[in-house]
Amino acid sequence: MKRALVCGAGGFIGGHLVKKLKREGYWVRGVDIKPHEFSPSQADEFMLRDLRDPDHCRSALALSNGGFDEVYQLAADMGGMGFISVSDCEVLHNSALINIHMTHTAAEMGVARYFFSSSVCVYRDMRSEEAPITEDDGIPANPDNEYGWEKLYAERVATAYGRRYPMQVRIARFENCYGPEGTWTGGREKAPAALCRKIAEAEEGGTVEVWGDGTAIRVFTYVDDLVDGIVALMHSNLDGPANLGSEERVTVADLVRTAIEVSGKRITVRYVPGPVGVRARNFSKARIASLGWKPAVSLQEGIARTYPWIEAQVGAARRVK
Ligand code: NAD
């Protein structure tokens, strides 16, 4: 039985990845600085560790009989634009320490395969009509936020260790990911969850405020598709980063419209100033597609699965108050 360590297993994507690896018959250890917020982890073992500390990395990686076959590094100090835009120092400090120590310790302890979760935030801002750019176009780099710079640095750390040690390194640059059991309130939530929450909280006929003017272009990837892509990439021979996300490019206004339709409510949208991020994104998915991976869940279907979960969280939070 293969053994996998999922770092960040108490988080959104890490939690879903643990479930996927369990379905595939792995023995899984999850590690995180906090337990999973929304459901008990399905990992065979769950450790609370602060991966900024090299001793905690070592204990997370230690097994009495041999080592881990696969390590999936998804732990990061992260959130949506509302968090990233005001947390430069935390992101650069905490996530860099996690990646420096996890990569080094995994390589020293003989891990065979190491996955690093990067982001399309490594790319520069784009014009809406620009042709898709490839992974190689990440350099020369000009990310619009420190989160992207930290990801680029961590990619280089992982790549350097992959060159020096017999550790196969796989890197995915995720597009925006959404789905049930992700952060939906508190300031770290990302756009799809924040919008679903605002709509769920609104009265019938009410108004929701949305940051920006709705014209920013994004790709939103349903979490089941993303974790399928992570595992496909991990088991491939694809060296170097691969963009991982849906092919469906939409505006923020499209996302809002979809969520309102799914809610079945009559809602007015008011666009207000706020941290929006880049204007547009358009990346080639040829590398990941070469593995036979393609997303199965449309934005409409993904929001139809996500909105009821967030609506239920909103309802439960109201009952507690
Ligand atoms: P998340 O915040 O839900 O999960 C990250 C987890 O890391 C959290 O559970 C957090 O507690 C844990 N963590 C933070 N500091 C830690 C520490 N010092 N020690 C141990 N654990 C620690 O985020 P997510 O959406 O699941 O993202 C997972 C990964 O994917 C991250 O690396 C993120 O940057 C990357 N990513 C996510 C998206 C997205 O849309 N969600 C997009 C691009 C990249």
Side-chain angles (χ1 to χ4, degrees):
M1 187 186 266
K2 278 208 216 167
R3 292 179 297 187
L5 176 67
V6 177
C7 308
F12 168 46
I13 302 171
H16 284 273
L17 179 61
V18 167
K19 289 183 197 168
K20 158 100 181 155
L21 293 171
K22 284 308 301 167
R23 283 195 300 274
E24 300 213 341
Y26 281 70
W27 185 89
V28 181
R29 176 185 287 166
V31 58
D32 202 294
I33 201 166
K34 60 155 182 67
H36 199 285
E37 255 174 272
F38 305 114
S39 60
S41 175
Q42 290 188 13
D44 297 280
E45 213 174 81
F46 191 93
M47 283 183 167
L48 289 177
R49 294 288 184 278
D50 182 346
L51 298 175
R52 290 171 300 183
D53 180 335
D55 290 337
H56 287 217
C57 293
R58 253 187 300 283
S59 79
L61 282 158
L63 280 175
S64 52
N65 46 351
F68 280 100
D69 302 292
E70 298 177 6
V71 171
Y72 295 83
Q73 199 322 71
L74 291 99
D77 199 358
M78 87 100 149
M81 278 314 298
F83 172 76
I84 287 175
S85 60
V86 294
S87 308
D88 295 357
C89 298
E90 291 80 357
V91 166
L92 285 171
H93 178 263
N94 296 334
S95 296
L97 281 179
I98 293 170
N99 286 312
I100 287 169
H101 293 310
M102 263 320 287
T103 317
H104 178 82
T105 314
E108 291 267 298
M109 290 177 70
V111 166
R113 282 188 179 258
Y114 187 86
F115 173 88
F116 173 58
S117 53
S118 186
S119 163
V120 292
C121 285
V122 301
Y123 296 108
R124 60 177 169 79
D125 197 354
M126 294 179 74
R127 296 184 313 279
S128 52
E129 71 282 5
E130 244 182 283
I133 58 175
T134 70
E135 286 80 357
D136 291 342
D137 297 319
I139 305 287
N142 192 18
D144 82 313
N145 57 51
E146 303 302 349
Y147 172 77
W149 283 105
E150 190 283 326
K151 289 290 189 197
L152 266 182
Y153 172 70
E155 283 188 7
R156 296 189 79 89
V157 173
T159 306
Y161 277 81
R163 280 196 302 268
R164 170 80 56 90
Y165 290 80
M167 179 169 83
Q168 294 290 314
V169 169
R170 299 289 169 261
I171 298 170
R173 292 177 176 162
F174 299 164
E175 302 255 19
N176 279 294
C177 178
Y178 70 99
E181 302 197 343
T183 304
W184 59 278
T185 189
R188 285 181 186 249
E189 62 278 17
K190 307 195 92 186
L195 290 170
C196 289
R197 187 202 67 230
K198 288 179 186 188
I199 294 164
E201 286 172 346
E203 300 297 331
E204 168 67 23
T207 300
V208 296
E209 290 192 343
V210 177
W211 292 341
D213 61 7
T215 60
I217 294 176
R218 295 287 181 271
V219 168
F220 299 102
T221 308
Y222 190 67
V223 66
D224 288 357
D225 283 335
L226 193 93
V227 297
D228 286 352
I230 292 173
V231 174
L233 181 60
M234 182 64 135
H235 296 152
S236 76
N237 292 322
L238 220 55
D239 273 330
N243 299 328
L244 180 52
S246 154
E247 288 289 356
E248 203 179 343
R249 294 177 77 221
V250 297
T251 62
V252 169
D254 293 329
L255 172 67
V256 177
R257 199 176 313 113
T258 305
I260 292 174
E261 270 167 32
V262 166
S263 77
K265 291 183 179 177
R266 224 172 6 93
I267 298 281
T268 303
V269 181
R270 187 188 308 134
Y271 287 99
V272 296
V276 177
V278 294
R279 277 166 302 177
R281 300 221 178 273
N282 193 10
F283 310 116
S284 162
K285 307 288 164 27
R287 297 202 83 215
I288 193 76
S290 74
L291 304 179
W293 176 86
K294 59 173 191 285
V297 182
S298 67
L299 182 65
Q300 171 72 38
E301 174 59 26
I303 293 294
R305 296 184 196 178
T306 307
Y307 181 82
W309 182 82
I310 292 182
E311 192 181 36
Q313 305 305 306
V314 168
R318 276 194 180 137
R319 285 193 292 281
V320 169
K321 275 186 193 162

